[in-house]
mmCIF file of all heavy atoms in Angstrom:
data_model
loop_
_atom_site.group_PDB
_atom_site.id
_atom_site.type_symbol
_atom_site.label_atom_id
_atom_site.label_comp_id
_atom_site.label_asym_id
_atom_site.label_seq_id
_atom_site.Cartn_x
_atom_site.Cartn_y
_atom_site.Cartn_z
ATOM 1 N N PHE R 607 -7.926 4.023 -20.020
ATOM 2 C CA PHE R 607 -7.763 5.281 -19.297
ATOM 3 C C PHE R 607 -7.618 6.443 -20.285
ATOM 4 O O PHE R 607 -6.746 6.424 -21.151
ATOM 5 C CB PHE R 607 -6.524 5.195 -18.396
ATOM 6 C CG PHE R 607 -6.356 6.403 -17.529
ATOM 7 C CD1 PHE R 607 -7.101 6.556 -16.382
ATOM 8 C CD2 PHE R 607 -5.455 7.401 -17.877
ATOM 9 C CE1 PHE R 607 -6.962 7.677 -15.582
ATOM 10 C CE2 PHE R 607 -5.300 8.519 -17.085
ATOM 11 C CZ PHE R 607 -6.058 8.664 -15.945
ATOM 12 N N PHE R 652 -2.900 19.410 -11.223
ATOM 13 C CA PHE R 652 -4.142 18.655 -11.415
ATOM 14 C C PHE R 652 -4.349 17.677 -10.282
ATOM 15 O O PHE R 652 -3.498 17.486 -9.416
ATOM 16 C CB PHE R 652 -4.146 17.968 -12.787
ATOM 17 C CG PHE R 652 -3.152 16.854 -12.961
ATOM 18 C CD1 PHE R 652 -3.515 15.536 -12.692
ATOM 19 C CD2 PHE R 652 -1.860 17.093 -13.415
ATOM 20 C CE1 PHE R 652 -2.608 14.498 -12.866
ATOM 21 C CE2 PHE R 652 -0.952 16.068 -13.591
ATOM 22 C CZ PHE R 652 -1.328 14.760 -13.315
ATOM 23 N N GLU R 653 -5.520 17.046 -10.282
ATOM 24 C CA GLU R 653 -5.828 15.982 -9.326
ATOM 25 C C GLU R 653 -6.340 14.781 -10.115
ATOM 26 O O GLU R 653 -6.736 14.905 -11.291
ATOM 27 C CB GLU R 653 -6.929 16.430 -8.344
ATOM 28 C CG GLU R 653 -6.424 16.911 -7.015
ATOM 29 C CD GLU R 653 -5.524 15.901 -6.299
ATOM 30 O OE1 GLU R 653 -5.903 14.722 -6.205
ATOM 31 O OE2 GLU R 653 -4.439 16.280 -5.840
ATOM 32 N N GLY R 654 -6.347 13.640 -9.479
ATOM 33 C CA GLY R 654 -6.948 12.438 -10.061
ATOM 34 C C GLY R 654 -7.844 11.850 -8.992
ATOM 35 O O GLY R 654 -7.364 11.508 -7.906
ATOM 36 N N MET R 655 -9.145 11.784 -9.277
ATOM 37 C CA MET R 655 -10.098 11.290 -8.275
ATOM 38 C C MET R 655 -11.026 10.283 -8.948
ATOM 39 O O MET R 655 -11.020 10.155 -10.162
ATOM 40 C CB MET R 655 -10.968 12.448 -7.747
ATOM 41 C CG MET R 655 -10.194 13.656 -7.300
ATOM 42 S SD MET R 655 -11.263 15.027 -6.767
ATOM 43 C CE MET R 655 -12.173 14.318 -5.402
ATOM 44 N N TYR R 718 -13.562 8.466 -13.636
ATOM 45 C CA TYR R 718 -12.356 9.206 -13.261
ATOM 46 C C TYR R 718 -12.693 10.690 -13.287
ATOM 47 O O TYR R 718 -13.411 11.160 -14.170
ATOM 48 C CB TYR R 718 -11.230 8.889 -14.249
ATOM 49 C CG TYR R 718 -9.888 9.445 -13.824
ATOM 50 C CD1 TYR R 718 -9.119 8.796 -12.861
ATOM 51 C CD2 TYR R 718 -9.399 10.617 -14.383
ATOM 52 C CE1 TYR R 718 -7.895 9.306 -12.461
ATOM 53 C CE2 TYR R 718 -8.168 11.130 -13.991
ATOM 54 C CZ TYR R 718 -7.424 10.464 -13.028
ATOM 55 O OH TYR R 718 -6.205 10.974 -12.632
ATOM 56 N N ARG R 720 -10.986 14.519 -13.218
ATOM 57 C CA ARG R 720 -9.720 15.244 -13.396
ATOM 58 C C ARG R 720 -9.911 16.756 -13.176
ATOM 59 O O ARG R 720 -10.273 17.475 -14.088
ATOM 60 C CB ARG R 720 -9.194 14.945 -14.804
ATOM 61 C CG ARG R 720 -7.982 15.734 -15.279
ATOM 62 C CD ARG R 720 -6.799 15.659 -14.350
ATOM 63 N NE ARG R 720 -6.209 14.342 -14.159
ATOM 64 C CZ ARG R 720 -5.333 13.741 -14.968
ATOM 65 N NH1 ARG R 720 -4.960 14.342 -16.070
ATOM 66 N NH2 ARG R 720 -4.815 12.565 -14.670
ATOM 67 N N LEU R 750 -5.798 1.376 -14.658
ATOM 68 C CA LEU R 750 -4.770 1.795 -15.620
ATOM 69 C C LEU R 750 -4.029 0.609 -16.246
ATOM 70 O O LEU R 750 -3.727 0.607 -17.429
ATOM 71 C CB LEU R 750 -3.790 2.725 -14.892
ATOM 72 C CG LEU R 750 -2.794 3.507 -15.704
ATOM 73 C CD1 LEU R 750 -3.462 4.400 -16.733
ATOM 74 C CD2 LEU R 750 -1.937 4.385 -14.775
ATOM 75 N N LYS R 775 1.299 17.781 -7.321
ATOM 76 C CA LYS R 775 0.799 17.121 -8.531
ATOM 77 C C LYS R 775 0.795 18.161 -9.652
ATOM 78 O O LYS R 775 -0.254 18.615 -10.124
ATOM 79 C CB LYS R 775 -0.601 16.567 -8.258
ATOM 80 C CG LYS R 775 -0.856 15.247 -8.962
ATOM 81 C CD LYS R 775 -2.034 14.505 -8.415
ATOM 82 C CE LYS R 775 -2.528 13.449 -9.373
ATOM 83 N NZ LYS R 775 -1.544 12.449 -9.769
ATOM 84 N N TYR R 780 5.077 15.142 -14.519
ATOM 85 C CA TYR R 780 4.671 14.052 -15.411
ATOM 86 C C TYR R 780 5.404 14.168 -16.743
ATOM 87 O O TYR R 780 5.969 13.196 -17.232
ATOM 88 C CB TYR R 780 3.140 14.061 -15.562
ATOM 89 C CG TYR R 780 2.496 13.739 -14.226
ATOM 90 C CD1 TYR R 780 2.368 14.716 -13.241
ATOM 91 C CD2 TYR R 780 2.120 12.453 -13.922
ATOM 92 C CE1 TYR R 780 1.856 14.418 -11.988
ATOM 93 C CE2 TYR R 780 1.600 12.140 -12.665
ATOM 94 C CZ TYR R 780 1.474 13.125 -11.707
ATOM 95 O OH TYR R 780 0.985 12.817 -10.467
ATOM 96 N N THR R 814 3.758 6.621 -12.298
ATOM 97 C CA THR R 814 2.926 7.670 -11.700
ATOM 98 C C THR R 814 2.277 7.173 -10.403
ATOM 99 O O THR R 814 1.235 7.668 -9.999
ATOM 100 C CB THR R 814 1.819 8.083 -12.690
ATOM 101 O OG1 THR R 814 1.014 6.922 -12.962
ATOM 102 C CG2 THR R 814 2.380 8.618 -13.984
ATOM 103 N N GLY R 880 -2.255 3.893 -6.885
ATOM 104 C CA GLY R 880 -2.613 5.244 -7.323
ATOM 105 C C GLY R 880 -4.089 5.273 -7.671
ATOM 106 O O GLY R 880 -4.721 4.214 -7.795
ATOM 107 N N THR R 881 -4.613 6.457 -7.867
ATOM 108 C CA THR R 881 -6.048 6.555 -8.167
ATOM 109 C C THR R 881 -6.364 5.844 -9.479
ATOM 110 O O THR R 881 -7.290 5.030 -9.545
ATOM 111 C CB THR R 881 -6.469 8.038 -8.238
ATOM 112 O OG1 THR R 881 -6.221 8.608 -6.963
ATOM 113 C CG2 THR R 881 -7.937 8.182 -8.579
ATOM 114 N N ALA R 882 -5.606 6.154 -10.519
ATOM 115 C CA ALA R 882 -5.909 5.561 -11.829
ATOM 116 C C ALA R 882 -5.642 4.055 -11.826
ATOM 117 O O ALA R 882 -6.410 3.276 -12.380
ATOM 118 C CB ALA R 882 -5.077 6.248 -12.904
ATOM 119 N N ALA R 883 -4.548 3.657 -11.198
ATOM 120 C CA ALA R 883 -4.151 2.246 -11.238
ATOM 121 C C ALA R 883 -4.890 1.399 -10.201
ATOM 122 O O ALA R 883 -5.022 0.195 -10.374
ATOM 123 C CB ALA R 883 -2.651 2.139 -10.987
HETATM 124 C C1 LIG N 1456 -3.810 9.178 -10.973
HETATM 125 O O1 LIG N 1456 -3.468 8.060 -10.571
HETATM 126 O O2 LIG N 1456 -4.968 9.582 -10.851
HETATM 127 C C2 LIG N 1456 -2.879 10.074 -11.619
HETATM 128 O O3 LIG N 1456 -3.133 11.242 -11.617
HETATM 129 C C3 LIG N 1456 -1.682 9.520 -12.272
HETATM 130 C C4 LIG N 1456 -1.729 9.501 -13.740
HETATM 131 C C5 LIG N 1456 -2.612 8.559 -14.397
HETATM 132 C C6 LIG N 1456 -1.475 10.755 -14.440
#
Side-chain angles (χ1 to χ4, degrees):
F607 185 79
F652 68 92
E653 261 305 312
M655 310 177 61
Y718 189 79
R720 172 54 63 82
L750 192 58
K775 216 164 162 57
Y780 295 80
T814 61
T881 298

